[in-house]
């Protein structure tokens, strides 16, 4: 990102090899939840990953928690912003530009995953030749307890593939699929976030617009039978 150092400071350790999957995570005042989110990545059956967390100038203990993990793990990386951006878009972009993996997976700091989440997503991408793989979203309360709401529905044919245009239609009106926790080719993700709206545009729903533009640009979309647990609480940016 141009003039990236104006906005943030990177805390990295030297890695001997480049990972297959870069998990990118914006974070802001999530000290109550972020340990669960990070531990969910640490517990994955797929081990060839890096986790890049871009903190949006948190005022609680979020940064302290992340830094403690960074001390122990060479593949957990922290970007500290010098000011709050007001949304998830800019910190997510900064994490994406710092990514070194072949593929990027999006992830939020108050959510958690099935243990085989990345493995199933990655294998599905390889076996289908898709540009992007989506999962199933399970809604939870602030304690991580499921409330029974699932996207897509249990009747949705997860074994099918479709074009990006077809998939984007399922995000219009009543949302029928989820883009949370998506896995995509790194270069395609970077190409998408490098175009479109100004880097300074960071209102609440611009992140949603980015995701739809990204999906629309894909030639082939696949789905994996694995669960992304989406936690809703009073401080959530989006509901």
């Amino acid at each position: 990102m141009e003039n990236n150092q104006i906005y943030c400071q990177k805390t990295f350790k030297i890695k001997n090899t480049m990972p297959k999957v870069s998990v990118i995570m914006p974070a802001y005042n999530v000290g109550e939840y972020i340990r669960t989110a990070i531990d969910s990545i640490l517990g994955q059956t797929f081990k060839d990953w890096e986790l890049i967390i871009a903190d949006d100038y948190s005022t609680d203990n979020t940064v302290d928690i992340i830094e403690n993990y960074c001390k122990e793990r060479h593949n957990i990386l922290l970007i500290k912003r010098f000011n709050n951006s007001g949304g998830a878009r800019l910190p997510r972009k900064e994490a994406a530009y710092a990514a070194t993996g072949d593929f990027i997976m999006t992830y939020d700091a108050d959510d958690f995953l099935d243990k085989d989440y990345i493995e199933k997503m990655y294998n599905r991408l390889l076996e289908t030749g898709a540009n992007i793989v989506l999962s199933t979203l399970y809604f939870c309360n602030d304690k991580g307890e499921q409330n029974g709401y699932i996207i897509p529905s249990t009747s949705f044919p997860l074994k099918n593939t479709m074009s990006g245009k077809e998939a984007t239609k399922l995000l219009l009106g009543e949302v029928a699929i989820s883009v949370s926790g998506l896995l995509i080719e790194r270069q395609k993700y970077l190409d998408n976030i490098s175009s479109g709206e100004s880097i300074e545009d960071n209102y609440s729903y611009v992140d949603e617009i980015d995701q739809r533009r990204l999906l629309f640009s894909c030639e082939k979309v696949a789905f994996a039978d694995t669960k992304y647990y989406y936690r809703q609480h009073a401080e959530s940016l989006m509901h």
Side-chain angles (χ1 to χ4, degrees):
M1 178 182 298
E2 294 182 0
N3 299 322
N4 194 45
Q5 292 304 318
I6 295 175
Y7 301 105
C8 62
Q9 171 186 345
K10 299 177 184 178
T11 303
F12 292 110
K13 291 184 180 180
I14 297 174
K15 302 188 291 290
N16 295 325
T17 59
M18 297 298 102
K20 289 291 184 183
V21 175
S22 295
V23 181
I24 59 172
M25 175 197 289
Y28 176 68
N29 284 357
V30 283
E32 184 177 352
Y33 308 110
I34 196 166
R35 288 187 181 89
T36 299
I38 296 175
D39 287 345
S40 187
I41 297 296
L42 291 174
Q44 289 294 302
T45 55
F46 185 93
K47 300 301 182 183
D48 195 4
W49 54 262
E50 66 178 354
L51 173 61
I52 304 174
I53 307 171
D55 179 76
D56 203 17
Y57 205 66
S58 291
T59 56
D60 66 353
N61 62 339
T62 296
V63 169
D64 292 336
I65 293 170
I66 300 169
E67 287 181 334
N68 285 334
Y69 279 98
C70 289
K71 292 174 183 177
E72 302 297 327
R73 300 290 303 215
H74 74 278
N75 54 346
I76 298 179
L77 318 173
L78 171 63
I79 298 172
K80 292 189 288 187
R81 287 186 53 83
F82 296 145
N83 51 61
N84 180 260
S85 70
R89 188 185 196 226
L90 296 188
R92 197 188 310 277
K93 280 193 171 190
E94 286 161 359
Y97 281 117
T100 63
D102 299 319
F103 304 97
I104 281 177
M105 191 190 100
T106 60
Y107 187 40
D108 288 336
D110 48 2
D111 299 334
F112 55 102
L113 311 165
D114 273 352
K115 289 184 178 181
D116 59 359
Y117 187 91
I118 302 179
E119 180 179 5
K120 283 189 173 181
M121 296 285 282
Y122 180 75
N123 289 341
R124 184 69 172 144
L125 187 144
L126 294 183
E127 71 184 28
T128 61
N131 309 110
I132 187 171
V133 179
L134 308 179
S135 64
T136 302
L137 190 75
Y138 280 67
F139 284 76
C140 303
N141 62 19
D142 60 345
K143 297 179 181 179
E145 300 166 338
Q146 298 175 45
N147 63 17
Y149 188 45
I150 305 169
I151 300 176
S153 68
T154 54
S155 62
F156 186 87
L158 293 174
K159 293 183 179 180
N160 290 1
T161 61
M162 61 182 66
S163 70
K165 293 180 181 180
E166 291 172 320
T168 304
K169 290 179 182 179
L170 298 178
L171 287 172
L172 303 177
E174 185 175 353
V175 174
I177 59 175
S178 168
V179 291
S180 295
L182 62 85
L183 180 69
I184 189 168
E185 300 164 345
R186 174 174 170 268
Q187 193 55 54
K188 194 160 193 66
Y189 191 90
L190 294 179
D191 289 345
N192 181 74
I193 64 174
S194 298
S195 61
E197 302 185 24
S198 166
I199 187 64
E200 299 302 331
D201 291 333
N202 202 37
Y203 49 87
S204 295
Y205 284 94
V206 73
D207 204 33
E208 297 289 301
I209 295 172
D210 282 344
Q211 292 169 344
R212 284 156 175 78
R213 183 186 294 117
L214 176 64
L215 195 60
F216 189 81
S217 72
C218 292
E219 292 80 22
K220 189 175 185 180
V221 180
F223 302 87
D225 185 15
T226 188
K227 300 173 184 176
Y228 183 104
Y229 297 96
Y230 177 69
R231 193 193 307 259
Q232 291 192 305
H233 51 89
E235 289 76 33
S236 293
L237 181 63
M238 298 291 289
H239 283 285

